[in-house]
Amino acid sequence: MNKSANILRNAILIPIFLFQACIPSLSKGFLQSVTDFIQLRSLVNPASTGPYYVSVSVSGLLGTGLVLDLNSGTESIVVNADGSFDFKTALSTGNNFNVTVNTQPTLPTQTCSVSGGMGVVAYGNINSIIVNCDPLRYTVGGTITGLDGITGLVLTNSVDGSTLNVAVASGSFAFTQTYLDGTTYNVSVTTQPNHPVQNCLTTNGSGTISGANVTDIIIACNSTAFPIEVTAVGIASGTLSIRNNNSELLTISTNGLHRFPTNIITNNTYSLQIVGTPANHQCVLSASGGTVTGTISITANCFSVLSFNPSNGGVLQPTESLRLQFSDEVNAGSCITSTGTLNTVLSIPIQFSVTTTTITNDTLIVSPAATDSWITGHRVLTLNCFNVGGTPLSSTVNILYLVPSAIRYVSASGLDTNPGTDVAPKRNIQAAIDDFLGCASGDCAVLVEDGSYDPTFSGGAIHLVSGISLYGGYQPTTSFGVWRPNLHGSVILMDTTPAGCSIATITSPCASIIGDATVTSNVTISGFRIQSGPDTAPYMAGVFLDSTNNVRLINNDIDGGVGINGVSGVHAINSNPYLIQNVILGGNCTAANCDSVGVYMSTSVPIAPVILVNSISGGTPTGSGVNSRGIRYAGTAAMTVTNIIGNLITSKNLNKTTSLFSIGFDINSGTGLTGTLSGNIITGGAGGTSIGLRIQATTSIQIGSPTQGNQITSSDALTGTYGLYLSGGQTVRRNVIRFGTAMSAAVATAIGIYATGGGTQIIESNSIQDGNVSSTGATATLNGIYSANASATSSITGNYIRIGRSEGTNSTATTTAGISLNTPQNALIANNWIQNGTSDVNARGLEFKSVFSGLRVYHNTVSSGTGTSNETPLFIGAGSASIDIQNNILMLNNNSASTACIYNAGIGLQTAVKYNVLHNCVNLVIQNAQNYSFCAGGVPGTLVCTLPLGIPANFGNNLNIDPELASNFGVIANYTPTTATSCLITKSTNALLTDSYNGIGTRPGVDGAISLGAVEYDQACTP
């Protein structure tokens, strides 16, 4: 087994596992960039809030005994000569400072005055104060307001070239030079502040000194873009990685304040996702997204339990203490409020104390009182602990233990005639189970030393008994005192396949461990490597669950072995699998058309499996027509998927020529399927057909939640590769979907999301990328999204689509399309960002085909891609009518006589074509082979505008201009408007939707106007 799978198995968090720490959560602000419009500075060591110090420049001093005070005498310094002098008092951002003259100099007597001496500290030392003692010279300064940028502000007097670094948030400033009467000055801002990006304007900046200090220069700073500040808490070691808008990455390895390098323009949105966490930490953000109106301050809470002793899910002896190591200093007193069923016999309060393992007081000792003990049974302790700074644990931590009332011990050196004590253990696991003669209290345990154990020794398999749990991984020669479950040193391995397995079926496979309907109390199996027979049986499984909901598999390494017609790591019939932190492999099967499945479920009664933080993989069969699947559901009843979270679910790479399917997660059937599937990494391996996630039944399953999606990938294939393959209406949101390359001599297909079967299809806020397809003898089809027969309540909104190339020899139907709709009803297609790919025949950003009537196409930004036959950002098939096309930006990659920004292959009349931006197309609209150009009022017309496409109210106000986006085209385009974008595009009045690609409820923008295209933009534009 590939032990790298253990990267997902750092801690058990039951029943709540916050997996957003590891899985991308896509936002509508995906891939937005503001670096073309704002100042970008990378801060290797982000500025702190102090300590900062105040210095003064003294000029013209002839006498002695000048005393200067800081903040009404908090500190005083004596000055006897010109120069620069520092106060030693440390100040922080937001502190006031006020420098005054306490005592004037004598011998000779002089009158010294302070310029720039009062204000509020921003981010930096204050060195913009001058004390002038020369009555014939004067200072140049004024007041500043609104300075917030951590990089400060630089002013320059162009008359003499003097510069001044200003770190005064608000207050007064002065250049540290003095000037004679009649001298001219010209002060301006030469370096604007950053983090946040600010625009500081100068008023009264130039003039002539006229017998007095200049104090009327005004510097007023306003923020145009703000930083995202992240304060990390609870990182003991390692690196936390956070991505903003799925583009810029911030890595954090120390606690404290950190900033993203790029500031976000005011009123744009941000979306943060944790894409990597330090080992054994669970990290959560105090906020993950929103609209920027000021500096965004986020807390990244990584305060976690790093280790458990005894290991979570294991055995706790009645008087044994728990030792929990945290990632930061823990407040033992706060843990007193922890809850759960881990209670003591005499009800004396549980004892919480701290000690040091790595960081001071990082380890919590949880013990019963000296005269007390734990109550026996399956127990849970839900921690409610804070660090010494008052930060709670980043996520709910439930610790599961069995406090056993009776124990039997098993060792590879034991004898089954022994009583099963720690000094005289038994040899076989089944013998130890049978020795209990049942366990009515439900809290018995078998502890097993490292070694090899044949499950077929008695009865052909280990048969579980209600209430008797099995714990492997005890280190030999320690008298069962050291438990090492992560090593899986206790191996349950069939030496030979039992004879009775020759009649095994898919509903009753041969297995190493069997739990059936007699298991009515909890049974935990933890710390084992479980592998079924080396010889073949028709159907083989590592663990077989038959009509029981009470078996918990925690932290095991399970291999289905070798079967003929089918093999499964875990095989569940009419059972509710409870799988946590396991590595599960389907094994291999040998017959043609056989299935190798990591977890197989089939039921005629409703189930709600608990599958958390596992690495699950199908096996690698080698025959013809074979299949590999990570998880397969083939039942007839309802399954709820909500508790399938945080797993790595994969199928293996198969021979693409001889295999049939390689599918990460396959739901073949069932009624009443429901729940939300989120927080998983699902990958379909290479095969004849590769699919990340397939659902072949009509369900109400939601793939991704409003806040958290999945990472779903398909690999290379012979005939077809699909990220998602869906039948019936589903909701698909906030997923990152990637798909591979299909190459065949026959028809070949590559599609990110394939949704057919009609119903309501909600596809929103997904990232869909990659995909290539090639056929050497037939049609090749490449789509980001393909939808068929979608109902009028369906919507495809806010998706990011960037796909590759299709090549089909001798086929005029070969097509690359960002979104392809077949016979849709009046669905909504809106706010999508589509960078279409290339084709050796047809390239269509949006493709609407077959006969239908009615469709709403609003606020999309689409490029056509490159095609040699038909190239268009919007294609309407013959017979399609009544499409409402408004507020889109449609861009043609290659402008030629045969291309158009809107291409209608038939005579169907549309409802509206208005307020669209058409760019780089000589032929703006082609309808039924007739070319239409823009006439008065932006109405498409032909025959020298004598035949308009429709009335101005429905077909007017279209624009034929360059949208001047950050990057109209390119390898990775950026469809964000810029200051060069026409105000006709960014300040439209045609209100249709409240949402935009870059935010919910952002239309109209704060400027009260509507931006055409997917992105709502509220900054400066070109009139």
Side-chain angles (χ1 to χ4, degrees):
M1 181 61 61
N2 181 2
K3 297 302 180 183
S4 66
N6 289 332
I7 61 172
L8 293 177
R9 306 169 60 239
N10 292 328
I12 302 173
L13 301 177
I14 311 166
I16 299 173
F17 180 73
L18 300 179
F19 199 67
Q20 61 263 41
C22 300
I23 299 296
S25 181
L26 188 67
S27 81
K28 292 184 180 179
F30 177 77
L31 281 182
Q32 284 190 68
S33 172
V34 295
T35 56
D36 290 318
F37 323 123
I38 63 176
Q39 182 180 4
L40 170 64
R41 297 222 180 145
S42 178
L43 302 180
V44 177
N45 297 306
S48 66
T49 57
Y52 300 124
Y53 299 92
V54 175
S55 66
V56 296
S57 294
V58 176
S59 177
L61 179 62
L62 300 176
T64 59
L66 171 65
V67 179
L68 302 176
D69 283 353
L70 174 63
N71 292 343
S72 301
T74 299
E75 181 184 352
S76 299
I77 56 175
V78 178
V79 179
N80 294 312
D82 286 354
S84 179
F85 302 90
D86 300 328
F87 289 96
K88 297 180 180 180
T89 300
L91 300 176
S92 299
T93 299
N95 289 163
N96 294 320
F97 67 90
N98 185 14
V99 174
T100 56
V101 175
N102 177 301
T103 304
Q104 295 286 359
T106 59
L107 299 176
T109 299
Q110 291 181 282
T111 300
C112 302
S113 62
V114 179
S115 297
M118 181 183 297
V120 177
V121 178
Y123 295 91
N125 296 323
I126 303 299
N127 53 20
S128 53
I129 304 173
I130 184 168
V131 178
N132 180 27
C133 303
D134 187 340
L136 300 179
R137 299 184 71 86
Y138 303 94
T139 61
V140 173
T143 57
I144 185 168
T145 58
L147 178 61
D148 195 27
I150 65 172
T151 59
L153 167 73
V154 178
L155 304 178
T156 299
N157 182 356
S158 63
V159 172
D160 64 352
S162 59
T163 61
L164 181 67
N165 294 297
V166 181
V168 181
S170 62
S172 59
F173 71 91
F175 282 83
T176 55
Q177 295 79 20
T178 58
Y179 301 91
L180 294 172
D181 190 22
T183 302
T184 60
Y185 58 91
N186 185 14
V187 175
S188 62
V189 176
T190 50
T191 301
Q192 296 283 3
N194 193 23
H195 297 291
V197 174
Q198 294 195 282
N199 184 29
C200 298
L201 301 178
T202 305
T203 304
N204 303 327
S206 60
T208 302
I209 297 174
S210 181
N213 292 332
V214 175
T215 60
D216 63 347
I217 299 174
I218 299 173
I219 307 296
C221 298
N222 292 301
S223 298
T224 60
F226 291 92
I228 300 175
E229 300 181 343
V230 179
T231 300
V233 179
I235 297 178
S237 61
T239 300
L240 169 67
S241 299
I242 307 173
R243 196 176 297 280
N244 180 39
N245 287 338
N246 247 28
S247 54
E248 188 170 55
L249 186 68
L250 176 67
T251 57
I252 298 172
S253 57
T254 59
N255 294 318
L257 181 66
H258 304 265
R259 294 180 177 87
F260 278 88
T262 303
N263 294 262
I264 307 300
I265 292 176
T266 305
N267 298 317
N268 273 17
T269 60
Y270 69 97
S271 179
L272 303 178
Q273 53 187 333
I274 295 176
V275 296
T277 57
N280 300 325
H281 292 64
Q282 291 77 46
C283 302
V284 296
L285 302 177
S286 59
S288 60
T291 301
V292 174
T293 57
T295 297
I296 304 299
S297 297
I298 304 292
T299 298
N301 180 8
C302 297
F303 182 44
S304 309
V305 182
L306 300 181
S307 65
F308 305 79
N309 188 15
S311 293
N312 199 350
V315 170
L316 180 66
Q317 300 287 2
T319 59
E320 186 177 8
S321 296
L322 306 181
R323 186 181 180 94
L324 310 176
Q325 184 182 357
F326 291 76
S327 64
D328 200 356
E329 184 175 356
V330 62
N331 179 352
S334 68
C335 301
I336 294 174
T337 59
S338 298
T339 59
T341 58
L342 184 64
N343 300 313
T344 60
V345 173
L346 300 179
S347 299
I348 299 175
I350 296 173
Q351 308 298 303
F352 295 92
S353 60
V354 294
T355 187
T356 296
T357 299
T358 303
I359 303 170
T360 301
N361 294 334
D362 63 347
T363 301
L364 181 72
I365 309 297
V366 184
S367 310
T371 58
D372 208 346
S373 61
W374 304 116
I375 297 175
T376 59
H378 290 273
R379 302 299 172 191
V380 178
L381 176 65
T382 301
L383 290 179
N384 185 26
C385 297
F386 292 73
N387 70 2
V388 292
T391 300
L393 282 166
S394 61
S395 56
T396 300
V397 177
N398 292 288
I399 310 173
L400 275 68
Y401 288 112
L402 172 62
V403 182
S405 62
I407 299 177
R408 298 293 185 271
Y409 298 87
V410 175
S411 170
S413 61
L415 298 171
D416 285 341
T417 56
N418 286 341
T421 63
D422 56 342
V423 296
K426 291 187 175 295
R427 173 64 181 86
N428 289 287
I429 295 171
Q430 191 68 57
I433 293 173
D434 295 343
D435 194 64
F436 283 107
L437 301 178
C439 184
S441 60
D443 51 16
C444 300
V446 176
L447 309 189
V448 183
E449 277 188 347
D450 290 352
S452 183
Y453 302 90
D454 186 356
T456 67
F457 175 79
S458 175
I462 294 174
H463 290 267
L464 302 177
V465 174
S466 189
I468 302 177
S469 296
L470 311 179
Y471 297 93
Y474 282 88
Q475 182 177 348
T477 72
T478 64
S479 299
F480 294 88
V482 178
W483 189 40
R484 304 178 300 177
N486 294 334
L487 299 182
H488 304 126
S490 299
V491 181
I492 298 174
L493 174 65
M494 283 186 183
D495 290 333
T496 60
T497 303
C501 288
S502 63
I503 59 172
T505 66
I506 194 170
T507 57
S508 184
C510 179
S512 293
I513 296 177
I514 298 175
D516 58 23
T518 64
V519 180
T520 57
S521 297
N522 286 340
V523 171
T524 296
I525 303 172
S526 182
F528 291 93
R529 171 159 172 75
I530 304 166
Q531 182 169 354
S532 289
D535 302 320
T536 58
Y539 290 91
M540 188 73 76
V543 178
F544 174 38
L545 306 177
D546 183 12
S547 304
T548 179
N549 298 329
N550 297 293
V551 176
R552 298 176 174 179
L553 294 166
I554 301 175
N555 193 10
N556 301 283
D557 192 337
I558 304 171
D559 188 327
V562 180
I564 299 173
N565 299 316
V567 60
S568 307
V570 175
H571 199 94
I573 303 293
N574 296 323
S575 298
N576 216 48
Y578 193 107
L579 311 174
I580 299 174
Q581 209 181 14
N582 302 282
V583 176
I584 303 172
L585 176 64
N588 295 324
C589 55
T590 59
N593 305 309
C594 71
D595 271 353
S596 176
V597 183
V599 175
Y600 177 90
M601 295 177 283
S602 180
T603 180
S604 59
V605 296
I607 61 172
V610 176
I611 303 177
L612 305 176
V613 207
N614 302 277
S615 174
I616 301 171
S617 176
T620 313
T622 57
S624 63
V626 296
N627 306 285
S628 176
R629 312 175 208 241
I631 296 179
R632 182 184 183 190
Y633 178 75
T636 58
M639 176 178 66
T640 301
V641 301
T642 300
N643 288 324
I644 302 177
I645 306 173
N647 303 284
L648 175 63
I649 304 169
T650 64
S651 57
K652 292 294 188 180
N653 291 330
L654 305 180
N655 185 304
K656 294 193 289 290
T657 303
T658 59
S659 65
L660 187 60
F661 289 106
S662 186
I663 305 175
F665 194 151
D666 195 10
I667 299 176
N668 300 138
S669 57
T671 59
L673 301 169
T674 189
T676 299
L677 182 69
S678 62
N680 301 282
I681 299 176
I682 304 171
T683 302
T689 298
S690 174
I691 302 174
L693 170 63
R694 181 171 73 169
I695 301 178
Q696 293 181 285
T698 300
T699 77
S700 60
I701 289 175
Q702 298 186 35
I703 304 166
S705 73
T707 58
Q708 181 183 26
N710 304 275
Q711 180 176 307
I712 303 172
T713 304
S714 66
S715 301
D716 295 345
L718 180 67
T719 58
T721 178
Y722 306 84
L724 275 75
Y725 190 107
L726 308 174
S727 300
Q730 271 93 31
T731 297
V732 182
R733 56 163 66 99
R734 296 183 72 85
N735 301 283
V736 174
I737 300 166
R738 295 181 179 273
F739 56 118
T741 297
M743 299 181 66
S744 174
V747 172
T749 306
I751 298 178
I753 299 177
Y754 179 90
T756 187
T760 298
Q761 301 170 5
I762 307 296
I763 302 173
E764 63 183 23
S765 303
N766 301 283
S767 168
I768 305 165
Q769 298 183 61
D770 304 332
N772 295 280
V773 62
S774 175
S775 172
T776 58
T779 300
T781 300
L782 172 61
N783 297 153
I785 298 173
Y786 173 83
S787 170
N789 305 306
S791 70
T793 54
S794 297
S795 61
I796 300 176
T797 59
N799 299 285
Y800 173 88
I801 301 171
R802 181 167 60 86
I803 56 177
R805 178 173 176 79
S806 66
E807 296 179 351
T809 302
N810 300 322
S811 174
T812 59
T814 291
T815 301
T816 296
I819 297 176
S820 179
L821 302 186
N822 192 331
T823 322
Q825 298 181 45
N826 193 28
L828 174 66
I829 314 300
N831 294 326
N832 296 289
W833 174 316
I834 302 172
Q835 183 180 350
N836 199 33
T838 63
S839 174
D840 64 355
V841 184
N842 303 314
R844 298 161 178 172
L846 293 167
E847 179 184 58
F848 309 136
K849 57 187 181 180
S850 298
V851 177
F852 65 90
S853 178
L855 194 65
R856 293 165 292 157
V857 183
Y858 301 154
H859 280 292
N860 302 281
T861 301
V862 186
S863 66
S864 63
T866 298
T868 60
S869 177
N870 177 252
E871 178 182 316
T872 177
L874 196 160
F875 176 85
I876 303 169
S880 302
S882 301
I883 305 177
D884 187 357
I885 304 168
Q886 299 188 51
N887 291 20
N888 303 281
I889 297 178
L890 305 174
M891 299 180 292
L892 193 62
N893 284 61
N894 298 287
N895 187 10
S896 68
S898 61
T899 61
C901 277
I902 300 177
Y903 192 102
N904 187 348
I907 61 172
L909 298 178
Q910 311 312 324
T911 300
V913 178
K914 63 179 182 178
Y915 286 95
N916 299 287
V917 179
L918 277 58
H919 172 55
N920 197 37
C921 38
V922 171
N923 302 324
L924 301 175
V925 178
I926 291 179
Q927 177 160 306
N928 196 29
Q930 184 70 49
N931 181 32
Y932 288 71
S933 59
F934 282 167
C935 303
V939 177
T942 189
L943 300 178
V944 197
C945 293
T946 59
L947 183 61
L949 197 59
I951 63 174
N954 293 336
F955 291 83
N957 294 291
N958 296 289
L959 302 170
N960 180 16
I961 58 176
D962 186 343
E964 298 284 358
L965 306 176
S967 175
N968 293 345
F969 306 107
V971 176
I972 300 178
N974 185 338
Y975 293 160
T976 304
T978 68
T979 54
T981 302
S982 170
C983 296
L984 296 174
I985 295 175
T986 63
K987 296 186 181 300
S988 175
T989 59
N990 191 38
L992 297 172
L993 302 170
T994 59
D995 296 348
S996 73
Y997 175 86
N998 55 314
I1000 298 174
T1002 56
R1003 297 190 198 271
V1006 294
D1007 57 0
I1010 303 293
S1011 297
L1012 305 180
V1015 177
E1016 182 65 21
Y1017 175 83
D1018 297 331
Q1019 304 307 309
C1021 55
T1022 298

